Amino acid sequence: ERRKDLVKLAHKYGENTKVALRNVRRDGMEDLKKLEKDSVISKDDHHNLSDEIQKLTDEFCAKVDIHVKQKEQDILSI
């Protein structure tokens, strides 16, 4: 029973981490919009950079999921 509680806690930490990643992504996107509005970067640069930010966010969210699954297996196998 305690192990199941620990697994739930690990999932909660994983979800909090993904929320934090999405917040960082949102801030980055807002910064890109400001730069484009101020004519510091072009529309093409904005599009390319926003795609890159999204790819990085997806990559790190996938890594968080992998680590949570590994931790779940560790907790339940002991």
Side-chain angles (χ1 to χ4, degrees):
E1 188 176 314
R2 176 70 179 142
R3 291 180 190 181
K4 289 182 182 181
D5 290 339
L6 289 173
V7 168
K8 287 180 186 178
L9 187 63
H11 283 282
K12 181 181 172 186
Y13 284 138
E15 191 58 39
N16 288 343
T17 303
K18 289 194 284 186
V19 168
L21 284 170
R22 289 192 291 267
N23 287 339
V24 170
R25 178 193 62 196
R26 185 192 67 228
D27 293 342
M29 294 293 196
E30 288 174 1
D31 290 343
L32 284 177
K33 285 179 187 177
K34 287 178 186 176
L35 289 173
E36 183 185 0
K37 184 178 177 184
D38 295 339
S39 299
V40 175
I41 61 172
S42 67
K43 195 169 224 170
D44 288 336
D45 288 339
H46 175 260
H47 181 70
N48 292 336
L49 292 171
S50 63
D51 286 346
E52 184 67 25
I53 289 173
Q54 185 61 47
K55 286 178 190 176
L56 287 171
T57 303
D58 294 342
E59 179 183 332
F60 282 100
C61 283
K63 286 182 181 183
V64 168
D65 288 336
I66 289 169
H67 287 291
V68 168
K69 286 184 186 220
Q70 287 175 345
K71 186 51 73 177
E72 178 181 354
Q73 290 174 354
D74 289 347
I75 292 170
L76 294 177
S77 67
I78 296 173

